[in-house]
Amino acid sequence: MHTVESGGRFVVARGDGASIWDDKGTRYLDGTAGLWFTNVGHGRTAIADAVARQLSTLAHYSTFGDVVPDVTLELADRLAAIAPVAGSKIFFTSGGSDSIDTAAKLARRYWHQVGKPGKTIVVGRQKAYHGMHVAGTALSGLPLNRENYGELMSDARTVAWDEGKALLELIEKEGADTIAAFFAEPIIGAGGVYLPPEGYLHEVRQICRDHDILFVADEVVTGFGRIGGAWFASSKFDLQPDMMCTAKGLTSGYVPMGAVFVSPRVAAPFYEGGAWWRHGYTYGGHAGAAAAAMANLDIIEDEDLLTHASRLEASLHQHLSPLANHDLISEVRSGMGVVAAVQFADPTYAMPFVKTLRREGVSARAAGNGAIQFSPAFVMTDDEVEQMAASMSRALDATAS
């Protein structure tokens, strides 16, 4: 807050495609698609028009109990049809943090319902980010996000982000009969863009099966095409998650919305046993947001943006990887999904570098421990990626000098 007060604000006034403009009319390539979310690009009037039509008909109505707006039901059916696990149920939220908290609560409630109330521990990974609500903060593998709040959840644990044996050691220590769920981002996002080591995702998924622990895929970032070539990383890697948390790309950020995909295994005790699950959000399944999501999904399908995401994945890797040779950079993490991170050898360079990069016409952000994050809209061209990399190189030279 004090930094903003002393250094001024970067006021974004409009956007179109893969670019944004500030309030002075200066154009920037949007290197982060807002905050990982503008998958279809800025300025999509088709989404705005769909929302306007819906709001003029029915803005929203409660989705508690047996009530549902027609467009929300239509969206739920559409999402169930592309779910990584056939027969999944869809629980709508207002965003990614809601989705994580929902999954954490449902995991515990599920085990209670099937007669194993002792299974309450939820497990996250180092470097991981799972939103800013209580459960997500407690699950965070970023110490700075947890500091100075006291103990938010006594039964949240953290293991190493890159080795399955760390999860096995925790299971041995705590006992499988106490662990409810393991949360994993297929690609660690806000923690610095860390790609999973080869075989890691399948290893931890099998560990969860072997020890009867729910596997929750956090696809708030990777969902709806950002993995490249597939709707979800869980589909691409055949993870068959017990639950999958989504948001961002569901509406491309045009209206806030999230969704938790709940596998038949987790849903069954509530549908078959008649148990109540007392959980929900006023704006969960918001009709206007559902209209935005439907229009957004139409664009992704009609313009084959899943294929474009694969092209962009390769283009980011091609043009950003050479920056690893710069004296200020220790590594570039890219090559899986429409995400990349350029890591400073000295992490303290990252925050001020964001402003240096803006002067070269690119808007990006610092993430993790001293990295610059890239996660552009799927409509960004290869030429624009090349421009973005060239701007990054010039900004690095300016910083070095």
Side-chain angles (χ1 to χ4, degrees), residues 119 121 169-179 211 213:
K119 290 172 75 70
I121 293 174
E169 289 171 356
L170 178 72
I171 294 170
E172 182 177 352
K173 175 184 176 183
E174 301 284 354
D177 57 348
T178 68
I179 300 176
H211 294 86
I213 294 167

Side-chain angles (χ1 to χ4, degrees), residues 132-152:
M132 284 297 184
H133 290 353
V134 168
T137 302
L139 280 164
S140 175
L142 303 171
L144 288 175
N145 284 16
R146 294 201 310 266
E147 286 182 359
N148 303 319
Y149 293 114
E151 188 175 48
L152 297 175

